[in-house]
Each structure stands twice: as structure tokens, then as C-alpha cells.
Amino acid sequence: MIKPTSNNRQIIKSYLESLSEDDFIEEVIIPFYSKNGYILYRINTHGPGEHGKDIIFYRNISIFYDQEFIAVQAKAEKITAQNVTQYSNQLIRALRVPFPTKTGSEKRYANYVILMNSKTHTNDANFEFPYLIDGKNNIKKML
């Protein structure tokens, strides 16, 4: 466990700021969800066809005899008032657009969509984000 000191926070922030999106996915996002009981379902290639879902994780919910799916939109760029609408729209799309199962015979929807970014967000972007996602409680922003 890393002590929560000012110096350590600066070291972690510098490390995150230095990561590319692919490194952020491999070194931070996948280990984070794996350690929290989620299984990697799919990593989508960047660009068309991902529908706002860079990575999809799932876990079995035995009480419901079903799976919970989490779609992660990974970013490694500063989010500002100029681009927060674009990212909010990607997250709404990721929630609304289904993804095919591995067999391709049916479609599933993400239970939650998470924005994880290794770079900073401006205060304006942080303020506007909850309003731009239309109060959807299953869209979250981390980091």
C-alpha cells in the first residue's frame, strides 16, 4: 500500500500523465478491474465499431444467475470544456448501443459505462460532465 502523502500523489500523477492510452489500459485499467473480481471480456480496437466501449469486463452475479457488464472508455488526453460534450456523448452511446456476445447469437448491454482517463480534467469539464450525461446513474467517471 502506498502512503497517501503529497509527494506520493505527485509521483502517481506524473506516472499517469506519462502513459499512452494503450499503456494505461494494460498497466492500470485491466489490473484494477481484475483485482476487483471482474473478468476481461473483450478489448476493442480503437476507432469504428467500438461504439464507445474500449474494454468490456464482466462478473458473474450468482443471485441473479446473470452477468454484470462494465464498458470502459479509456482516455489519455486532457478533458476540457471544449471536448467534454464529445466524451459524454461517447459514454451515452456506449450505454445505449448493445454489443454482440462472443458467440454472436445475441446482444448484450453494459450495466455500467465508466470513463477512465490518465490525464487531468479541468474544473469546467468536471462541473459539466454530470449534466451532459443526462443524470444517468450508470455512467461514471473515474480518475
Side-chain angles (χ1 to χ4, degrees):
M1 184 75 180
I2 299 172
K3 285 188 173 185
T5 65
S6 175
N7 186 49
N8 286 346
R9 279 191 294 276
Q10 189 57 45
I11 291 168
I12 292 168
K13 183 178 176 183
S14 296
Y15 166 71
L16 290 171
E17 289 278 339
S18 72
L19 293 176
S20 69
E21 186 175 313
D22 290 332
D23 290 340
F24 183 51
I25 289 169
E26 291 293 327
E27 296 177 23
V28 177
I29 296 174
I30 292 174
F32 174 79
Y33 281 99
S34 294
K35 288 184 188 222
N36 283 286
Y38 287 90
I39 301 162
L40 180 63
Y41 186 76
R42 178 179 297 137
I43 298 177
N44 293 318
T45 57
H46 303 297
E50 73 175 30
H51 307 290
K53 303 170 194 71
D54 287 329
I55 315 152
I56 301 171
F57 295 95
Y58 77 99
R59 68 178 177 169
N60 291 312
I61 308 295
S62 58
I63 195 166
F64 298 130
Y65 299 103
D66 202 3
Q67 291 89 33
E68 173 185 67
F69 288 91
I70 293 182
V72 176
Q73 177 60 237
K75 293 292 176 199
E77 49 191 274
K78 186 172 186 166
I79 298 180
T80 66
Q82 286 73 36
N83 62 14
V84 70
T85 301
Q86 170 192 346
Y87 297 132
S88 300
N89 289 338
Q90 285 181 356
L91 297 172
I92 291 169
R93 190 173 84 220
L95 187 65
R96 290 181 182 165
V97 176
F99 57 92
T101 60
K102 289 186 176 183
T103 62
S105 60
E106 60 182 290
K107 298 197 181 307
R108 297 295 304 247
Y109 289 89
N111 298 89
Y112 293 96
V113 176
I114 313 291
L115 170 65
M116 294 187 76
N117 188 7
S118 65
K119 307 290 189 233
T120 59
H121 304 170
T122 65
N123 288 337
D124 285 339
N126 281 332
F127 177 77
E128 291 178 18
F129 182 78
Y131 299 102
L132 294 171
I133 59 168
D134 299 327
K136 295 186 180 346
N137 289 329
N138 39 358
I139 297 178
K140 310 287 185 191
K141 174 178 60 90
M142 298 178 68
L143 300 177

